[in-house]
Amino acid sequence: MLMNYNLIMPHAVYSGENALEKIENILQKHDAGHVLLFTDKGIRESGLLEIVLKEVRKAGSRYDILDELQPEPDYEMVQKLAEQSGRLQADMIIGCGGGSVMDTAKLAGLLAGTDYTVQDLMEAPSLADRRMPVIMIPTTAGTGAEATPNAIVSVPENEMKFGIVNESMIADYVILDARMVQKMPRKIAAATGVDALAHCLECFIGKKANPFSDMFALEGLDLILNHIEKACDDPDAMEDKNCMQIAAFYGGLAITASGTTAVHALSYPLGGKYHIAHGIANAILLVPVMRFNEPVCRGRLAAVYERCCHDEKRTCRTEEEKSAWVIRRLEEIVRHLDIPISLRGLGVLESDLEDLVRVGMQTQRLLMNNPRVLTEEDARRLYREVM
């Protein structure tokens, strides 16, 4: 009996050299005389927003900029910006930034001018529908937020993050222009790149994996495993950076069709309580969780080897050898990119272990997709392993 599965995608995706030049046509097509730009102060100070504004001005549109967003925003901050966007009564939203910026822009696209709140959507995500068209322009190559119907907000009182999922948050347009990631600091490029790696790998081994998610997850893995180091190390490696942008987008599509697993579930309390960057938390947990899962997804990991290992003399013959190669490759990437491999020095205390386990185990939406059943004791052991 065939499974039921589906794939929801943005209306149009533009990539390659000078892809941002498509903005003028998009705004004119929608008669968008007033545009609302979501970004953050770092993007503005870097000069990246000016590349976008140049195209907005070409279209003859006036614009307002909302740049008060902090990294990993809580739901109250997102609500404040959504209310502000409603008062401005724009015709179109552009989200230009990393995952937090794009998630906030997506939520504003649902909430602007309504009586609904972010808290309402946390309780009933399908309450709201899209209020205006949205363009997503990622400035990192990692989160895949430009492709997903998901928005992550922090819930400080519970020391955790919460995912709101609503199909109306799928972007109308996505623009992947490598100029937007060319000058990204190596540390951020590394963390967000490994986040994309986790997305693709988790979606490929998860219980909800299907032909749609497999197609994008495998292609994303091939791009990441063969381009991530150069994309992070060399500021002028534009082809590699564009490959990472595309891979991150594919990771977002894979999430939409399948979903992440225990890596993301256990990383959420690390971001919620300790404010550890999402990509760093995933990178720390990626190898330990994959080792835990390996006995039940060995064949899938072997398939990753077959697709992604392009060495002229491939020496792995058995599924076990191929699976081990993939896990070693993950370790190589994390170490090469100088990402922490443990929680030491990140403020996590041994005495907080039980709280981490308790909060991590609450993310059943993701844990249920993990290929191997993960118990409280398993979570406790995995957290201890990275302390």
Side-chain angles (χ1 to χ4, degrees):
M1 185 175 178
L2 289 175
M3 292 171 52
N4 290 317
Y5 38 82
N6 65 293
L7 176 64
I8 305 166
M9 299 178 66
H11 167 71
V13 183
Y14 302 102
S15 183
E17 189 174 0
N18 299 322
L20 285 167
E21 291 179 0
K22 296 293 183 180
I23 291 174
E24 180 181 3
N25 290 338
I26 294 170
L27 297 184
Q28 290 175 345
K29 176 182 176 181
H30 286 269
D31 195 23
H34 182 194
V35 177
L36 191 58
L37 286 113
F38 283 81
T39 191
D40 61 43
K41 293 190 183 301
I43 300 298
R44 290 193 77 173
E45 290 168 2
S46 71
L48 286 175
L49 191 66
E50 191 55 38
I51 304 174
V52 177
L53 291 176
K54 178 183 175 183
E55 302 303 326
V56 174
R57 294 184 193 111
K58 275 192 203 174
S61 303
R62 65 187 180 91
Y63 55 86
D64 285 293
I65 299 171
L66 297 181
D67 64 354
E68 297 298 324
L69 199 65
Q70 301 297 318
E72 317 270 340
D74 63 44
Y75 67 91
E76 291 181 336
M77 178 184 294
V78 174
Q79 179 62 37
K80 178 182 175 183
L81 289 170
E83 290 172 358
Q84 189 176 353
S85 66
R87 291 192 294 269
L88 291 169
Q89 297 183 326
D91 303 310
M92 198 161 201
I93 285 176
I94 296 177
C96 178
S100 296
V101 167
M102 291 189 285
D103 284 353
T104 302
K106 288 190 288 187
L107 284 169
L110 297 187
L111 296 171
T114 72
D115 294 329
Y116 299 127
T117 66
V118 176
Q119 281 183 293
D120 290 332
L121 294 187
M122 289 166 63
E123 295 174 10
S126 61
L127 269 179
D129 291 316
R130 175 71 57 76
R131 306 286 295 178
M132 66 187 91
V134 173
I135 302 173
M136 294 283 107
I137 304 172
T139 60
T140 65
T143 70
E146 66 275 10
T148 72
N150 308 348
I152 308 299
V153 294
S154 177
V155 185
E157 58 266 36
N158 294 336
E159 297 182 329
M160 68 177 295
K161 294 180 179 180
F162 189 88
I164 299 169
V165 183
N166 182 319
E167 291 182 1
S168 296
M169 285 194 286
I170 292 286
D172 296 277
Y173 300 93
V174 172
I175 301 177
L176 308 174
D177 191 315
R179 288 177 294 172
M180 302 304 283
V181 299
Q182 181 178 12
K183 296 180 181 178
M184 185 168 41
R186 185 176 185 270
K187 182 177 179 180
I188 297 174
T192 55
V194 174
D195 190 24
L197 172 56
H199 293 160
C200 291
L201 190 55
E202 289 180 85
C203 289
F204 188 67
I205 66 164
K207 289 181 180 178
K208 296 178 186 176
N210 60 72
F212 289 158
S213 60
D214 286 357
M215 174 173 60
F216 291 108
L218 265 183
E219 179 63 19
L221 285 167
D222 194 2
L223 290 169
I224 294 167
L225 293 177
N226 291 292
H227 292 277
I228 186 169
E229 286 118 330
K230 190 172 181 183
C232 293
D233 292 346
D234 183 356
D236 297 319
M238 297 300 281
E239 219 172 288
D240 297 274
K241 292 176 187 295
N242 188 233
C243 284
M244 285 300 298
Q245 283 185 307
I246 294 169
F249 175 72
Y250 285 168
L253 292 177
I255 290 172
T256 301
S258 172
T260 54
T261 64
V263 177
H264 272 67
L266 298 183
S267 78
Y268 276 177
L270 297 176
K273 181 169 184 176
Y274 300 99
H275 306 292
I276 297 171
H278 179 64
I280 298 293
N282 285 335
I284 290 170
L285 288 161
L286 181 59
V287 171
V289 172
M290 286 303 151
R291 282 206 193 101
F292 170 81
N293 285 332
E294 194 273 344
V296 301
C297 63
R298 185 169 294 166
R300 287 244 129 187
L301 291 174
V304 173
Y305 171 87
E306 291 292 347
R307 176 61 176 273
C308 303
C309 179
H310 302 303
D311 292 344
E312 289 184 10
K313 296 180 180 179
R314 299 201 300 177
T315 58
C316 298
R317 295 289 177 264
T318 67
E319 279 194 348
E320 187 173 6
E321 289 173 343
K322 294 171 184 177
S323 177
W325 180 93
V326 173
I327 292 177
R328 282 198 307 274
R329 183 74 184 105
L330 301 180
E331 289 179 301
E332 285 174 5
I333 288 170
V334 171
R335 289 184 184 278
H336 176 91
L337 297 177
D338 302 312
I339 298 174
I341 57 172
S342 79
L343 297 172
R344 294 188 195 94
L346 297 177
V348 181
L349 304 175
E350 184 79 27
S351 58
D352 291 333
L353 177 62
E354 293 308 311
D355 280 341
L356 287 174
V357 173
R358 176 182 57 79
V359 177
M361 291 302 295
Q362 288 175 5
T363 318
Q364 287 298 312
R365 175 177 64 89
L366 305 184
L367 291 175
M368 287 173 63
N369 191 36
N370 201 61
R372 181 178 176 184
V373 173
L374 188 142
T375 66
E376 282 192 18
E377 186 52 42
D378 294 326
R380 190 173 290 111
R381 181 179 62 78
L382 287 165
Y383 280 129
R384 276 205 189 101
E385 186 177 338
V386 297
M387 281 186 166

